[in-house]
Amino acid sequence: DPLLFGLFSMSLLVFSIARPAVAVLQGNNLLKIQLWISMVVTAIAVGGILLLTSTFGVSGAAASLLFAELVGTVLAIRFACIWLGENKIGFPWRLFAVTLCPIVVAAVAIFAMIYLPGAVVPIAGLSVLLCLLTALAFLRQLPPVAAHIMRSFIVRPPFMRRG
């Protein structure tokens, strides 16, 4: 089922973009906040599964999991921003925006492929091109030291280096 695959794929992508914010919460032992976020996400996921599965089947369950993951991501980012602000550290909004772009591209591409199966090749080609452009924008947003390290990995990957 392409829709089911698309919903689960999007859940993984949303999960991945939340990782830096979650790392802030975990690294600073903000356990009450983590517990609260987990309870909210669990309630949304379980409630959504109970409400949507009877009508939409497994795709309804996948949609509720995606929605729960979106809510968890928003909450993690919000609380990470609060903690970072209290400690006079800015959230890296520019990098976050650049990182969010390929996820949006992937979401649009996945659902476009589902509903326009005759246009899979051009949709895939356009989405790859947009993701490559986003990767270049990401590299331009990195601090000089990090950009240099990334370029060295691209020019000469670790598996191609000697000893």
Side-chain angles (χ1 to χ4, degrees), residues 27-48:
N28 293 291
N29 289 326
L30 303 175
L31 298 177
K32 287 181 185 176
I33 292 171
Q34 292 175 62
L35 178 62
W36 186 79
I37 291 172
S38 293
M39 289 176 8
V40 169
V41 168
T42 300
I44 291 170
V46 171

Side-chain angles (χ1 to χ4, degrees), residues 130-144:
L130 290 172
C131 287
L132 287 173
L133 292 173
T134 305
L136 292 174
F138 178 80
L139 286 174
R140 297 183 96 183
Q141 293 294 322
L142 289 175

Side-chain angles (χ1 to χ4, degrees), residues 11-70:
S11 293
L12 288 172
L13 292 173
V14 170
F15 174 81
S16 71
I17 201 163
R19 295 299 90 207
V22 170
V24 169
L25 300 177
Q26 290 175 339
N28 293 291
N29 289 326
L30 303 175
L31 298 177
K32 287 181 185 176
I33 292 171
Q34 292 175 62
L35 178 62
W36 186 79
I37 291 172
S38 293
M39 289 176 8
V40 169
V41 168
T42 300
I44 291 170
V46 171
I49 289 169
L50 292 173
L51 290 173
L52 298 177
T53 304
S54 61
T55 306
F56 300 103
V58 179
S59 293
S64 69
L65 293 175
L66 174 57
F67 182 69
E69 200 62 56
L70 283 166

Side-chain angles (χ1 to χ4, degrees), residues 56-111:
F56 300 103
V58 179
S59 293
S64 69
L65 293 175
L66 174 57
F67 182 69
E69 200 62 56
L70 283 166
V71 170
T73 297
V74 168
L75 291 173
I77 291 169
R78 176 74 181 127
F79 285 114
C81 284
I82 290 170
W83 187 90
L84 289 168
E86 289 172 353
N87 290 280
K88 303 196 183 354
I89 302 169
F91 189 81
W93 285 110
R94 281 186 166 173
L95 282 173
F96 178 79
V98 171
T99 306
L100 185 61
C101 284
I103 292 176
V104 172
V105 168
V108 171
I110 287 169
F111 293 110

